[in-house]
């Protein structure tokens, strides 16, 4: 293993699978089911089509950056005002990615297996580990993802295959009983999950070799599968009505699993899966926020990571019900997140195209 402070392409893919996969695997699914019901799986497939084109734009930006930090590139390619207009929304999105998932993890933990533990204690313990990891840098996070993901994946295959006898995929049909409108509305949630792949632009300068277009397309397919598999499994196991009522459909599938007659309650494996993704997601977001803020000294970065962690714990302590939280996700967070990310990447792509044309014109003149 090279000790150069960078990560390999394989580690990057595993890191993205944990970071982006956890929210598409658990947070997005109840929103999709509540909006589109039986047709939720169609909204994922249809939304994936335009986002294949979008990741091609990400690849174009990545190529123009030439493994230079996005923060440095924006500062160099624009003036201070335009640079701040681009960087501030990115910082906001990173913070909300971490905060929203922390709240979701806190709710899931208290509802399922730590009912008598104060919510702030759950948030404090998780954030403390994430703060330590984020302050450690990208290389340890890459190694950690390589350790965590294989077991997360094996457990995913285990629950999917173990519940096959209990699945009835005919429940996915017929399609469009309620028309195309619910599918169209649910596509916003699927798109909000897909746009998190923009985090690759923030990581690309930490990767030893440049990412190729094949890596981007592969990650889109992986995210689609990570969303589609538990969603179709929930419909096939519980039916479209019951699954749309469940708060955590992916977790409920573990409750059906058993080994013979004597071993039941296999859902403790889901705790490992969920916390692995939560740890990586929050740690990566905290690390990238401090980097995008341009903090130079390790001391300032540490103080900022601690401040961000404490602020998230404070937000999770606000008296907001889970119903209000889900309403916020469906009506505000995912639509706004998707718009901000798409608009930001389009503006960055425009700046990159302008810079490329300028270099080409300068080369012709010389």
């Amino acid at each position: 293993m090279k000790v150069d402070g960078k990560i390999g392409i394989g580690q990057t893919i595993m890191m993205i699978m944990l970071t982006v996969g956890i929210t598409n695997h658990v947070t997005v699914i109840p929103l999709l089911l509540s909006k589109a019901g039986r047709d939720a799986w169609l909204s994922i497939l249809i939304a994936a089509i335009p986002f294949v084109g979008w990741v091609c734009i990400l690849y174009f930006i990545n190529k123009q950056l030439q493994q230079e930090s996005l923060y440095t590139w924006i500062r160099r390619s624009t003036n201070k005002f335009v640079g701040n207009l681009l960087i501030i929304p990115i910082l906001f999105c990173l913070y909300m990615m971490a905060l929203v998932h922390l709240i979701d993890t806190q709710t899931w933990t208290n509802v399922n297996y730590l009912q008598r533990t104060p919510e702030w204690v759950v948030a404090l313990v998780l954030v403390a580990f994430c703060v330590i990891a984020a302050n450690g840098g990208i290389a340890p996070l890459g190694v950690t993802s390589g350790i965590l993901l294989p077991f997360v994946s094996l457990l995913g295959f285990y629950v999917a295959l173990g519940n096959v006898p209990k699945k009835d995929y005919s429940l996915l049909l017929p399609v469009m009983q309620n028309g195309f409108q619910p599918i169209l509305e649910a596509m916003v949630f699927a798109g909000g999950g897909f746009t998190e792949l923009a985090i690759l632009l923030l990581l690309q300068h930490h990767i030893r070799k440049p990412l190729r277009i094949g890596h981007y397309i592969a990650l889109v397919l992986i995210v689609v599968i990570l969303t589609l598999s538990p969603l179709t499994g929930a419909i096939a196991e519980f039916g479209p009505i019951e699954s749309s009522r469940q708060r955590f459909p992916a977790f409920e599938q573990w409750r059906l699993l058993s080994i013979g007659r004597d071993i039941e309650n296999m859902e403790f494996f889901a705790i490992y899966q969920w916390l692995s993704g939560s740890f990586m997601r929050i740690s990566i977001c905290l690390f990238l926020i401090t980097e995008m803020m341009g903090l130079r000294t390790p001391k300032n970065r540490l103080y900022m990571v601690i401040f961000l962690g404490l602020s998230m714990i404070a937000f999770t302590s606000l008296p907001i019900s889970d119903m209000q939280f889900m309403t916020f996700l469906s009506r505000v967070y995912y639509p706004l997140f998707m718009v901000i990310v798409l608009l930001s990447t389009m503006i960055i792509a425009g700046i990159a195209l302008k810079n490329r044309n300028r270099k080409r014109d300068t080369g012709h003149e010389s």
Side-chain angles (χ1 to χ4, degrees):
M1 182 180 67
K2 295 181 180 180
V3 184
D4 54 4
K6 293 193 173 187
I7 56 177
I9 291 177
Q11 290 176 314
T12 304
I13 292 175
M14 290 188 285
M15 192 179 295
I16 293 297
M17 288 177 66
L18 285 171
T19 303
V20 178
I22 184 64
T23 186
N24 284 274
H25 204 71
V26 295
T27 307
V28 171
I29 289 176
L31 298 174
L32 290 169
L33 287 168
S34 64
K35 182 63 69 175
R38 191 196 309 270
D39 293 331
W41 63 277
L42 278 176
S43 65
I44 298 171
L45 294 178
I46 296 173
I49 297 172
F51 276 95
V52 171
W54 175 73
V55 297
C56 292
I57 296 176
L58 289 187
Y59 170 70
F60 168 75
I61 298 172
N62 181 77
K63 196 173 181 180
Q64 301 307 310
L65 291 177
Q66 296 180 344
Q67 291 194 286
E68 182 181 11
S69 164
L70 182 64
Y71 171 82
T72 305
W73 182 86
I74 289 175
R75 290 294 189 188
R76 181 174 55 80
S77 302
T78 63
N79 56 51
K80 187 176 181 180
F81 177 75
V82 175
N84 288 334
L85 284 180
L86 285 173
I87 291 171
I88 291 175
I90 294 173
L91 292 173
F92 171 77
C93 287
L94 287 171
Y95 185 82
M96 291 305 297
M97 282 176 63
L99 176 61
V100 163
H101 190 69
L102 178 62
I103 295 173
D104 212 27
T105 301
Q106 184 186 57
T107 301
W108 171 74
T109 301
N110 287 112
V111 167
N112 287 289
Y113 61 94
L114 288 179
Q115 290 90 349
R116 297 187 179 183
T117 303
E119 292 186 353
W120 67 269
V121 174
V122 175
L124 176 62
V125 172
L126 178 57
V127 168
F129 281 105
C130 294
V131 165
I132 294 171
N135 189 59
I138 194 68
L141 288 173
V143 173
T144 305
S145 64
I147 297 172
L148 295 176
L149 184 68
F151 297 102
V152 171
S153 301
L154 287 174
L155 291 173
F157 285 117
Y158 173 58
V159 69
L161 297 176
N163 281 333
V164 166
K166 303 179 180 69
K167 294 180 181 180
D168 180 8
Y169 283 103
S170 65
L171 294 173
L172 297 175
L173 303 173
V175 299
M176 298 191 190
Q177 281 185 311
N178 299 314
F180 190 71
Q181 185 66 26
I183 297 175
L184 190 63
E185 294 176 358
M187 285 171 60
V188 174
F189 308 136
F194 293 156
T195 50
E196 290 187 355
L197 287 174
I199 202 171
L200 285 167
L201 294 181
L202 308 181
L203 288 172
Q204 49 82 34
H205 63 290
H206 290 292
I207 307 171
R208 293 190 184 97
K209 296 181 181 179
L211 292 171
R212 298 190 295 271
I213 185 64
H215 297 128
Y216 282 90
I217 302 298
L219 281 169
V220 171
L221 295 176
I222 289 171
V223 172
V224 169
I225 293 171
L226 287 174
T227 313
L228 199 61
S229 177
L231 186 142
T232 55
I235 296 174
E237 292 169 27
F238 303 107
I241 297 176
E242 178 60 29
S243 60
S244 65
R245 294 172 179 169
Q246 294 172 347
R247 178 64 175 87
F248 303 107
F251 178 73
E252 296 299 330
Q253 294 174 51
W254 277 100
R255 295 184 184 274
L256 298 179
L257 194 62
S258 61
I259 301 177
R261 297 180 179 179
D262 303 318
I263 302 178
E264 296 183 353
N265 300 324
M266 306 294 292
E267 59 265 29
F268 64 88
F269 284 126
I271 298 174
Y272 172 82
Q273 285 185 306
W274 190 307
L275 293 182
S276 295
S278 301
F279 168 77
M280 190 58 58
R281 180 181 180 86
I282 297 171
S283 300
I284 285 292
C285 288
L286 290 175
F287 169 78
L288 291 176
I289 288 172
T290 56
E291 187 173 69
M292 287 296 293
M293 293 180 71
L295 301 177
R296 297 180 180 179
T297 64
K299 195 174 187 180
N300 289 339
R301 287 197 293 268
L302 176 60
Y303 288 156
M304 179 53 65
V305 170
I306 294 173
F307 170 76
L308 292 171
L310 292 175
S311 69
M312 287 194 293
I313 295 172
F315 276 119
T316 60
S317 302
L318 295 176
I320 300 174
S321 68
D322 189 54
M323 186 174 293
Q324 291 173 319
F325 175 66
M326 293 298 288
T327 301
F328 166 75
L329 291 183
S330 61
R331 296 184 180 178
V332 180
Y333 174 71
Y334 276 110
L336 182 62
F337 183 90
M338 185 177 68
V339 170
I340 290 176
V341 174
L342 290 178
L343 189 59
S344 298
T345 51
M346 292 301 176
I347 294 174
I348 293 172
I351 296 172
L353 182 62
K354 183 178 179 181
N355 289 349
R356 189 185 70 168
N357 292 337
R358 184 185 303 161
K359 290 180 181 178
R360 184 182 297 170
D361 293 341
T362 303
H364 287 328
E365 290 175 2
S366 60

